[in-house]
Amino acid sequence: MKHRVTTALALVAALFVLPFVAATQSQAEPLRIEITDGVIEPLPFALPDFVAENAAGSEFASKIARVVAADLTGTGLFREIPKDAFISTVTNFDSPVQYADWKAINAQALIVGAVNVNGNKVTVKFRLFDVFSGAPLGEGLQFGGTTTSWRRMAHKVADAAYSRITGEGAYFDSRVVYVSETGPKNDRKKRLAIMDYDGANVQFLTDSRSLVLAPRFSPTGDRVLYTSYETGFPKIYVLDVASVGRRALADQPGTMTFAPRFSPDGQTVVYSLSSGGNTDIYRMNIGGGAPVRLTSEPSIETAPSFSPDGKQIVFESDRSGNQQLYIMPANGGEARRISFGSGRYGTPVWSPRGDLIAFTKQNKGRFHIGVMRVDGSEERLLTASFLDEGPSWSPNGRVIMFMRETAGAGGAVGLYSVDISGRNLRRVKTDGGASDPAWSPLLK
Amino acid sequence: MDSGPLISGIGHGALLAWALIGGMFSRAPDDTFEVSEVSIISAEEFAALSAPQPTPEATQNVPTPPVPEIEDTPPEQPVVAAPPEVPDTPINETPPRADVAPDVAPDVVEAPPPIAEVDDTPPEVVQPPVQDNPVVLAPPSTTASPRPAPRVAPTPVEAPPPDTEVAEETREQTTDSSDAQTQSEPEEATAPEEANDRIVTEADEPPSSAPTSSSRPSARPKRPTPPVEAATNDNSTRDAIADALAGVQTEDATAPASAPVGPPLTGGDKDVLRVAVSSCWNVGSLSTDALQTTVVVSMTMGKDGKPDNGSIRMLSSSGGSSAAAKQAFEAARRAIIRCTKGGYKLPIEKYSHWREIEMTFNPEKMRIK
């Protein structure tokens, strides 16, 4: 009997207490879900023609919008929604955005811009909207310049939109110096040329009377180091991009100098010097002075490239009997090997972010552009062809440009770019053949 | 007068009365035992019964298949000839454009160093010796071919036939037939967009017939928390209490209380939400830094299965900078809102369980590797 009474009392207590306990737990415990699988696909965006705020602006309104769209779609991360799918039109820069109309066509981002031309001055302004959130993505921005620089302003608009959506650094407003090649394979004419990153505005920096190789931008983008054979032997020159004036560097009689590259502060140059059948890496001040020898091996050491902090140098060497990648302190010293895969590794270039090293790999008769961590781990091959060579990083470290040559006597040489994920391999538009690309830093 | 409390009171009263009184006048159960007969055996018989049975002998001489001979010598690499290239001869050609013409022109051009020519004929492939062993061919791969696809998704999808509209579900094309007894609108064929389950680079080798990867199985859904039981062993009493609790909960479901009602969400219920949001979580436009960042997002859901967009906020982040967390959160928010459409298909009777949701977006599997 006593047991039953106790049981009954416990039940009564449970009946009154449990609901309160459960209610408390419910309020404190929302439903928790973990999402680990997503998709990787281009983000659809809408880009109506920019609004011409005056008659003169109409000449540039559409052109600027097209360059912005080409920049964004060229990354492979975005997909432009065709204009004929638009429900809304944008006729006034300050009109409220009809989010429902853009949402209906699945536009996830909307770019609205306007152009005003006064004399030879162009003003371009734009706003970026997150359609599904129904809110602007950042503040509106405005750029000013001359009518001749309208493409740069378009690149700047695209850079801002790209950075706001992806979180990556900008890279559209940049240039590329490369070796322009014409003529048949056995009689190539080579000269230095510079162009916008997308192949527009090509200018030649040298003539084709001598062979030129491996141009490299200074960190400020105003000078270019390159190797010329005009004396019959490879010799390093530094060229001022604005004036096209140049001077020889590291001119040591009886030696061959090549593969130069600036240090991150632009004050020092590392290069290879070949003398007496041996090739080692040297370093010298850009203003002159005595070169400092950084390696002293009987093997071939070449293709040096600084780390972004300037404290280390990655280079290629065949000291192990096979061409591999090594890293040493910027002032020389013990080098450690970082590449251990099959095949031969060369032309290493340190990423501007400092986390990856791009390289050329030759294996089983194929050439690859690849990347690996600074410690040599996580090697990934991004391309494969008859001949891929000479990677160069975009200013934000997200894209690699390189040279590709097709097989055969009539093989063509051209520039290609690829995202570091291995996606979005595409050819860079150039007039004629092109090789040895070097990406500039972002323009100021 | 509100009938709810009255019914509840009557129900509770009846339950308590039954618990207190119902059992008092019942007859205590008989303490009866079931009896089985046993027999006594001798020690010898017990030893004979419990002796270990002889185990089958393991076969030692299993014929091993012959090891295929593999040549140590690698296939011949293409010979790289390095003939010196004919030097550029000075040509009096048109100088570069005036505005960019170099101010120095070389006088003498000598032979440049040789440039390696690469033989484009592939090396001979050394075939391994043919074996006599029977070869079992693997079945053809059912996964999408490892060629670059514009979309990377957890489930690979073959490219739809041309002129097929992209949609979530596969549907055959139907035509308007005059012979048909039932008139129906002609419908376009639809199929999911082509997708691969990984990033395929140009350097990737052609696939073998074996699958190159398999998706990790989903984590087992958590078991629902067992209900708190009253301290009694009487099954009939427990069932009655459960019935009474259910009755009370049903009454409270109509009231705007915050207490959970209805059974808890099943793993399937949660998967509906997880799969729907996953299909819209596009990390392709995220920076590499944002792809290192896990964000926890909270939201309040309406009964129509749609989130209150204004309630979506980032609770916490880990693994990246604040800028990266902001990008990751925006991608997460887009995923939540985009895939709402007509509302997530969640059971309305369990609304109080999913009214408040916390979603963790962990891009670890989606990183560039």
Side-chain angles (χ1 to χ4, degrees):
Chain A
M1 176 68 188
K2 186 180 177 183
H3 172 72
R4 289 191 179 113
V5 170
T6 306
T7 302
L9 289 175
L11 284 171
V12 170
L15 278 171
F16 284 99
V17 172
L18 279 179
F20 295 105
V21 173
T24 307
Q25 285 177 340
S26 166
Q27 286 172 335
E29 296 294 325
L31 173 61
R32 291 198 169 88
I33 301 277
E34 182 170 24
I35 309 292
T36 57
D37 289 312
V39 296
I40 297 175
E41 60 186 353
L43 185 143
F45 70 96
L47 177 54
D49 281 346
F50 282 11
V51 177
E53 293 193 326
N54 55 13
S58 59
E59 179 189 349
F60 298 97
S62 179
K63 289 197 295 188
I64 289 176
R66 289 304 89 213
V67 171
V68 174
D71 283 348
L72 293 176
T73 55
T75 64
L77 307 180
F78 299 90
R79 173 173 61 83
E80 187 184 15
I81 295 175
K83 285 182 192 171
D84 53 12
F86 290 1
I87 299 170
S88 281
T89 56
V90 178
T91 55
N92 188 323
F93 181 70
D94 295 315
S95 295
V97 173
Q98 304 299 317
Y99 289 111
D101 290 346
W102 300 108
K103 201 183 287 187
I105 60 172
N106 196 34
Q108 294 183 39
L110 169 68
I111 300 170
V112 175
V115 181
N116 188 302
V117 177
N118 188 2
N120 69 338
K121 301 291 183 187
V122 180
T123 304
V124 180
K125 54 187 178 181
F126 86 101
R127 287 199 185 104
L128 174 65
F129 299 93
D130 185 337
V131 172
F132 280 85
S133 296
L137 261 176
E139 300 289 323
L141 274 181
Q142 179 171 302
F143 302 102
T146 62
T147 50
T148 55
S149 63
W150 67 269
R151 293 189 93 263
R152 277 203 63 192
M153 284 184 280
H155 289 319
K156 285 192 171 297
V157 171
D159 270 332
Y162 170 83
S163 292
R164 286 182 184 182
I165 295 173
T166 66
E168 298 281 16
Y171 75 93
F172 302 130
D173 187 25
S174 61
R175 311 192 80 186
V176 172
V177 63
Y178 64 101
V179 175
S180 169
E181 300 192 16
T182 55
K185 210 170 188 176
N186 59 359
D187 188 22
R188 286 270 165 85
K189 300 290 183 289
K190 298 189 177 188
R191 48 183 175 166
L192 287 190
I194 190 170
M195 64 180 185
D196 292 355
Y197 98 98
D198 57 358
N201 291 331
V202 176
Q203 293 178 317
F204 294 101
L205 302 176
T206 66
D207 60 25
S208 61
R209 281 181 281 188
S210 60
L211 190 71
V212 288
L213 289 174
R216 304 284 181 246
F217 266 113
S218 68
T220 48
D222 58 345
R223 291 166 295 169
V224 170
L225 288 168
Y226 69 100
T227 304
S228 172
Y229 283 82
E230 68 181 56
T231 63
F233 296 97
K235 186 181 290 185
I236 298 172
Y237 291 83
V238 57
L239 178 143
D240 183 83
V241 175
S243 67
V244 205
R246 60 170 199 158
R247 64 182 171 88
L249 201 67
D251 191 7
Q252 294 175 254
T255 65
M256 294 187 290
T257 55
F258 51 96
R261 203 176 284 270
F262 277 101
S263 63
D265 62 5
Q267 300 301 311
T268 308
V269 176
V270 285
Y271 58 96
S272 292
L273 185 147
S274 183
S275 176
N278 186 28
T279 301
D280 274 305
I281 294 173
Y282 287 70
R283 162 181 192 152
M284 72 175 295
N285 194 293
I286 188 71
V292 177
R293 186 171 182 171
L294 302 181
T295 61
S296 301
E297 297 283 335
S299 49
I300 295 174
E301 277 73 37
T302 186
S305 172
F306 276 99
S307 61
D309 62 5
K311 293 180 178 175
Q312 298 179 91
I313 293 173
V314 61
F315 63 99
E316 66 176 64
S317 170
D318 63 355
R319 63 182 66 179
S320 68
N322 191 15
Q323 191 175 305
Q324 298 291 339
L325 305 184
Y326 295 80
I327 288 178
M328 67 176 173
N331 292 319
E334 188 177 354
R336 61 185 166 89
R337 180 174 165 179
I338 62 168
S339 63
F340 293 93
S342 58
R344 295 192 291 175
Y345 295 78
T347 65
V349 191
W350 216 303
S351 158
R353 296 175 180 173
D355 56 344
L356 295 173
I357 289 171
F359 56 85
T360 303
K361 180 173 182 175
Q362 185 186 6
N363 190 32
K364 297 178 181 175
R366 303 276 283 173
F367 279 80
H368 307 272
I369 299 297
V371 292
M372 64 170 65
R373 294 272 168 202
V374 174
D375 61 3
S377 65
E378 298 182 32
E379 176 182 322
R380 287 186 291 120
L381 300 181
L382 308 180
T383 72
S385 88
F386 166 73
L387 179 57
D388 287 350
E389 203 167 31
S392 177
W393 289 96
S394 63
N396 67 350
R398 175 75 196 225
V399 182
I400 294 172
M401 193 178 290
F402 60 97
M403 179 273 284
R404 170 169 290 184
E405 185 167 341
T406 54
V413 60
L415 303 185
Y416 284 74
S417 67
V418 64
D419 188 90
I420 57 168
S421 66
R423 289 165 62 90
N424 198 40
L425 175 67
R426 57 175 58 207
R427 181 164 189 165
V428 179
K429 185 189 73 175
T430 54
D431 293 330
S435 62
D436 277 355
W439 217 314
S440 82
L442 206 62
L443 300 180
K444 302 297 182 189
Chain B
M1 182 179 173
D2 192 354
S3 61
L6 181 62
I7 296 170
S8 176
I10 293 171
H12 281 81
L15 178 65
L16 289 172
W18 176 85
L20 287 169
I21 303 167
M24 293 178 65
F25 299 101
S26 62
R27 186 167 164 264
D30 293 332
D31 293 338
T32 55
F33 297 93
E34 196 171 320
V35 179
S36 299
E37 289 189 1
V38 295
S39 60
I40 298 172
I41 62 172
S42 65
E44 289 75 16
E45 288 173 326
F46 176 78
L49 285 171
S50 59
Q53 298 295 316
T55 54
E57 287 184 7
T59 306
Q60 298 291 336
N61 299 322
V62 178
T64 53
V67 178
E69 292 181 7
I70 300 173
E71 290 186 16
D72 289 331
T73 52
E76 287 185 6
Q77 295 293 322
V79 178
V80 178
E85 193 170 280
V86 179
D88 286 345
T89 51
I91 298 173
N92 292 328
E93 63 180 58
T94 307
R97 289 205 299 252
D99 58 339
V100 293
D103 58 353
V104 178
D107 295 325
V108 181
V109 177
E110 293 185 15
I115 295 176
E117 293 268 341
V118 180
D119 191 352
D120 59 353
T121 55
E124 282 187 16
V125 178
V126 179
Q127 300 290 343
V130 178
Q131 302 172 29
D132 293 335
N133 294 351
V135 177
V136 179
L137 292 176
S141 173
T142 55
T143 58
S145 58
R147 61 191 176 84
R151 190 169 190 265
V152 178
T155 307
V157 180
E158 290 287 359
D163 301 329
T164 303
E165 189 181 341
V166 174
E168 289 182 2
E169 295 178 352
T170 304
R171 189 175 65 203
E172 296 290 333
Q173 184 175 14
T174 60
T175 55
D176 187 11
S177 171
S178 56
D179 297 335
Q181 292 180 345
T182 305
Q183 293 290 327
S184 61
E185 290 289 323
E187 292 181 332
E188 294 288 331
T190 63
E193 188 179 358
E194 180 187 9
N196 213 322
D197 59 353
R198 63 191 175 92
I199 294 174
V200 179
T201 71
E202 189 185 40
D204 284 334
E205 294 292 329
S208 67
S209 57
T212 54
S213 64
S214 60
S215 58
R216 195 165 58 187
S218 304
R220 174 186 290 183
K222 289 182 179 176
R223 291 180 182 278
T225 308
V228 178
E229 294 183 1
T232 176
N233 293 326
D234 190 333
N235 289 337
S236 60
T237 306
R238 192 162 54 208
D239 292 344
I241 292 169
D243 292 343
L245 281 172
V248 171
Q249 287 172 347
T250 307
E251 289 167 13
D252 289 346
T254 57
S258 59
V261 294
L265 288 170
T266 64
D269 294 335
K270 294 177 184 175
D271 280 345
V272 167
L273 187 60
R274 184 183 294 113
V275 170
V277 176
S278 293
S279 65
C280 287
W281 185 35
N282 181 11
V283 300
S285 57
L286 284 183
S287 68
T288 47
D289 195 14
L291 280 174
Q292 305 286 332
T293 308
T294 296
V295 291
V296 181
V297 179
S298 71
M299 73 199 84
T300 301
M301 301 289 288
K303 287 185 175 177
D304 57 359
K306 294 180 180 177
D308 173 6
N309 293 352
S311 71
I312 302 174
R313 61 194 176 91
M314 181 166 64
L315 287 183
S316 63
S317 67
S318 60
S321 64
S322 58
K326 184 170 177 285
Q327 307 297 332
F329 167 64
E330 284 168 356
R333 182 170 60 183
R334 277 195 292 270
I336 293 166
I337 299 174
R338 268 182 64 212
C339 275
T340 302
K341 294 180 182 172
Y344 292 112
K345 302 292 183 289
L346 292 166
I348 184 64
E349 67 275 13
K350 304 175 183 176
Y351 172 60
S352 62
H353 289 281
W354 49 265
R355 179 168 47 205
E356 299 293 333
I357 298 179
E358 282 182 20
M359 277 191 191
T360 300
F361 291 82
N362 182 353
E364 185 178 356
K365 288 166 66 178
M366 308 300 295
R367 287 175 194 152
I368 299 170
K369 292 173 183 172

PDB file of all heavy atoms in Angstrom, chain A residues 53-60 115-123 147:
ATOM      1  N   GLU A  53      24.400  59.262 -68.421  1.00  0.00           N
ATOM      2  CA  GLU A  53      23.801  60.427 -67.755  1.00  0.00           C
ATOM      3  C   GLU A  53      23.816  61.673 -68.635  1.00  0.00           C
ATOM      4  O   GLU A  53      23.229  62.690 -68.274  1.00  0.00           O
ATOM      5  CB  GLU A  53      24.517  60.690 -66.437  1.00  0.00           C
ATOM      6  CG  GLU A  53      24.271  59.560 -65.436  1.00  0.00           C
ATOM      7  CD  GLU A  53      24.683  59.916 -64.029  1.00  0.00           C
ATOM      8  OE1 GLU A  53      25.678  60.659 -63.865  1.00  0.00           O
ATOM      9  OE2 GLU A  53      24.024  59.441 -63.101  1.00  0.00           O
ATOM     10  N   ASN A  54      24.535  61.599 -69.739  1.00  0.00           N
ATOM     11  CA  ASN A  54      24.442  62.670 -70.738  1.00  0.00           C
ATOM     12  C   ASN A  54      24.720  62.048 -72.105  1.00  0.00           C
ATOM     13  O   ASN A  54      25.055  60.853 -72.215  1.00  0.00           O
ATOM     14  CB  ASN A  54      25.393  63.828 -70.426  1.00  0.00           C
ATOM     15  CG  ASN A  54      26.837  63.356 -70.284  1.00  0.00           C
ATOM     16  OD1 ASN A  54      27.161  62.232 -70.654  1.00  0.00           O
ATOM     17  ND2 ASN A  54      27.687  64.218 -69.765  1.00  0.00           N
ATOM     18  N   ALA A  55      24.561  62.859 -73.120  1.00  0.00           N
ATOM     19  CA  ALA A  55      24.665  62.326 -74.485  1.00  0.00           C
ATOM     20  C   ALA A  55      26.045  61.743 -74.742  1.00  0.00           C
ATOM     21  O   ALA A  55      26.182  60.682 -75.367  1.00  0.00           O
ATOM     22  CB  ALA A  55      24.339  63.421 -75.491  1.00  0.00           C
ATOM     23  N   ALA A  56      27.070  62.419 -74.268  1.00  0.00           N
ATOM     24  CA  ALA A  56      28.437  61.932 -74.511  1.00  0.00           C
ATOM     25  C   ALA A  56      28.680  60.610 -73.787  1.00  0.00           C
ATOM     26  O   ALA A  56      29.499  59.791 -74.228  1.00  0.00           O
ATOM     27  CB  ALA A  56      29.443  62.990 -74.070  1.00  0.00           C
ATOM     28  N   GLY A  57      27.983  60.414 -72.706  1.00  0.00           N
ATOM     29  CA  GLY A  57      28.189  59.190 -71.942  1.00  0.00           C
ATOM     30  C   GLY A  57      27.667  57.960 -72.631  1.00  0.00           C
ATOM     31  O   GLY A  57      28.091  56.831 -72.324  1.00  0.00           O
ATOM     32  N   SER A  58      26.743  58.156 -73.575  1.00  0.00           N
ATOM     33  CA  SER A  58      26.163  56.981 -74.237  1.00  0.00           C
ATOM     34  C   SER A  58      27.196  56.216 -75.061  1.00  0.00           C
ATOM     35  O   SER A  58      27.026  55.029 -75.325  1.00  0.00           O
ATOM     36  CB  SER A  58      24.992  57.416 -75.126  1.00  0.00           C
ATOM     37  OG  SER A  58      25.449  58.337 -76.093  1.00  0.00           O
ATOM     38  N   GLU A  59      28.256  56.884 -75.460  1.00  0.00           N
ATOM     39  CA  GLU A  59      29.301  56.200 -76.244  1.00  0.00           C
ATOM     40  C   GLU A  59      29.999  55.133 -75.410  1.00  0.00           C
ATOM     41  O   GLU A  59      30.455  54.119 -75.940  1.00  0.00           O
ATOM     42  CB  GLU A  59      30.328  57.226 -76.749  1.00  0.00           C
ATOM     43  CG  GLU A  59      31.457  56.606 -77.560  1.00  0.00           C
ATOM     44  CD  GLU A  59      32.565  57.612 -77.868  1.00  0.00           C
ATOM     45  OE1 GLU A  59      32.348  58.820 -77.632  1.00  0.00           O
ATOM     46  OE2 GLU A  59      33.630  57.167 -78.330  1.00  0.00           O
ATOM     47  N   PHE A  60      30.067  55.375 -74.094  1.00  0.00           N
ATOM     48  CA  PHE A  60      30.838  54.465 -73.240  1.00  0.00           C
ATOM     49  C   PHE A  60      29.961  53.564 -72.355  1.00  0.00           C
ATOM     50  O   PHE A  60      30.453  52.587 -71.809  1.00  0.00           O
ATOM     51  CB  PHE A  60      31.780  55.275 -72.339  1.00  0.00           C
ATOM     52  CG  PHE A  60      32.784  56.077 -73.090  1.00  0.00           C
ATOM     53  CD1 PHE A  60      32.570  57.424 -73.356  1.00  0.00           C
ATOM     54  CD2 PHE A  60      33.948  55.490 -73.554  1.00  0.00           C
ATOM     55  CE1 PHE A  60      33.493  58.160 -74.055  1.00  0.00           C
ATOM     56  CE2 PHE A  60      34.884  56.228 -74.263  1.00  0.00           C
ATOM     57  CZ  PHE A  60      34.658  57.574 -74.519  1.00  0.00           C
ATOM     58  N   VAL A 115      27.330  56.407 -66.427  1.00  0.00           N
ATOM     59  CA  VAL A 115      28.510  57.027 -67.030  1.00  0.00           C
ATOM     60  C   VAL A 115      28.187  58.477 -67.353  1.00  0.00           C
ATOM     61  O   VAL A 115      27.131  58.780 -67.906  1.00  0.00           O
ATOM     62  CB  VAL A 115      28.923  56.287 -68.321  1.00  0.00           C
ATOM     63  CG1 VAL A 115      30.165  56.927 -68.929  1.00  0.00           C
ATOM     64  CG2 VAL A 115      29.168  54.821 -68.040  1.00  0.00           C
ATOM     65  N   ASN A 116      29.128  59.331 -67.015  1.00  0.00           N
ATOM     66  CA  ASN A 116      28.996  60.738 -67.339  1.00  0.00           C
ATOM     67  C   ASN A 116      30.283  61.206 -67.997  1.00  0.00           C
ATOM     68  O   ASN A 116      31.367  60.978 -67.460  1.00  0.00           O
ATOM     69  CB  ASN A 116      28.733  61.545 -66.045  1.00  0.00           C
ATOM     70  CG  ASN A 116      28.388  62.981 -66.333  1.00  0.00           C
ATOM     71  OD1 ASN A 116      29.153  63.695 -66.955  1.00  0.00           O
ATOM     72  ND2 ASN A 116      27.224  63.410 -65.866  1.00  0.00           N
ATOM     73  N   VAL A 117      30.181  61.832 -69.166  1.00  0.00           N
ATOM     74  CA  VAL A 117      31.369  62.304 -69.890  1.00  0.00           C
ATOM     75  C   VAL A 117      31.287  63.816 -70.013  1.00  0.00           C
ATOM     76  O   VAL A 117      30.286  64.362 -70.493  1.00  0.00           O
ATOM     77  CB  VAL A 117      31.466  61.666 -71.288  1.00  0.00           C
ATOM     78  CG1 VAL A 117      32.664  62.237 -72.046  1.00  0.00           C
ATOM     79  CG2 VAL A 117      31.593  60.157 -71.171  1.00  0.00           C
ATOM     80  N   ASN A 118      32.365  64.449 -69.571  1.00  0.00           N
ATOM     81  CA  ASN A 118      32.447  65.890 -69.656  1.00  0.00           C
ATOM     82  C   ASN A 118      33.789  66.244 -70.279  1.00  0.00           C
ATOM     83  O   ASN A 118      34.828  66.149 -69.631  1.00  0.00           O
ATOM     84  CB  ASN A 118      32.310  66.499 -68.256  1.00  0.00           C
ATOM     85  CG  ASN A 118      32.200  68.006 -68.302  1.00  0.00           C
ATOM     86  OD1 ASN A 118      32.186  68.602 -69.383  1.00  0.00           O
ATOM     87  ND2 ASN A 118      32.123  68.626 -67.133  1.00  0.00           N
ATOM     88  N   GLY A 119      33.762  66.649 -71.564  1.00  0.00           N
ATOM     89  CA  GLY A 119      35.021  66.869 -72.283  1.00  0.00           C
ATOM     90  C   GLY A 119      35.718  65.534 -72.465  1.00  0.00           C
ATOM     91  O   GLY A 119      35.131  64.580 -72.986  1.00  0.00           O
ATOM     92  N   ASN A 120      36.964  65.453 -71.996  1.00  0.00           N
ATOM     93  CA  ASN A 120      37.643  64.154 -72.080  1.00  0.00           C
ATOM     94  C   ASN A 120      37.675  63.467 -70.708  1.00  0.00           C
ATOM     95  O   ASN A 120      38.455  62.554 -70.491  1.00  0.00           O
ATOM     96  CB  ASN A 120      39.058  64.318 -72.630  1.00  0.00           C
ATOM     97  CG  ASN A 120      39.961  65.026 -71.645  1.00  0.00           C
ATOM     98  OD1 ASN A 120      39.471  65.730 -70.766  1.00  0.00           O
ATOM     99  ND2 ASN A 120      41.266  64.847 -71.804  1.00  0.00           N
ATOM    100  N   LYS A 121      36.841  63.941 -69.812  1.00  0.00           N
ATOM    101  CA  LYS A 121      36.770  63.330 -68.478  1.00  0.00           C
ATOM    102  C   LYS A 121      35.570  62.390 -68.386  1.00  0.00           C
ATOM    103  O   LYS A 121      34.457  62.764 -68.761  1.00  0.00           O
ATOM    104  CB  LYS A 121      36.622  64.410 -67.391  1.00  0.00           C
ATOM    105  CG  LYS A 121      37.750  65.418 -67.356  1.00  0.00           C
ATOM    106  CD  LYS A 121      39.033  64.780 -66.881  1.00  0.00           C
ATOM    107  CE  LYS A 121      40.144  65.823 -66.770  1.00  0.00           C
ATOM    108  NZ  LYS A 121      41.457  65.181 -66.478  1.00  0.00           N
ATOM    109  N   VAL A 122      35.828  61.218 -67.906  1.00  0.00           N
ATOM    110  CA  VAL A 122      34.768  60.223 -67.747  1.00  0.00           C
ATOM    111  C   VAL A 122      34.587  59.926 -66.255  1.00  0.00           C
ATOM    112  O   VAL A 122      35.571  59.773 -65.525  1.00  0.00           O
ATOM    113  CB  VAL A 122      35.119  58.908 -68.475  1.00  0.00           C
ATOM    114  CG1 VAL A 122      34.004  57.885 -68.307  1.00  0.00           C
ATOM    115  CG2 VAL A 122      35.373  59.161 -69.929  1.00  0.00           C
ATOM    116  N   THR A 123      33.337  59.890 -65.838  1.00  0.00           N
ATOM    117  CA  THR A 123      33.031  59.477 -64.468  1.00  0.00           C
ATOM    118  C   THR A 123      32.142  58.237 -64.543  1.00  0.00           C
ATOM    119  O   THR A 123      31.119  58.247 -65.221  1.00  0.00           O
ATOM    120  CB  THR A 123      32.288  60.593 -63.713  1.00  0.00           C
ATOM    121  OG1 THR A 123      33.088  61.775 -63.756  1.00  0.00           O
ATOM    122  CG2 THR A 123      32.045  60.187 -62.271  1.00  0.00           C
ATOM    123  N   THR A 147      38.867  59.842 -71.180  1.00  0.00           N
ATOM    124  CA  THR A 147      38.127  58.960 -72.089  1.00  0.00           C
ATOM    125  C   THR A 147      39.009  57.841 -72.625  1.00  0.00           C
ATOM    126  O   THR A 147      38.508  56.773 -72.971  1.00  0.00           O
ATOM    127  CB  THR A 147      37.565  59.763 -73.265  1.00  0.00           C
ATOM    128  OG1 THR A 147      38.619  60.546 -73.833  1.00  0.00           O
ATOM    129  CG2 THR A 147      36.433  60.670 -72.817  1.00  0.00           C
TER     130      THR A 147
END
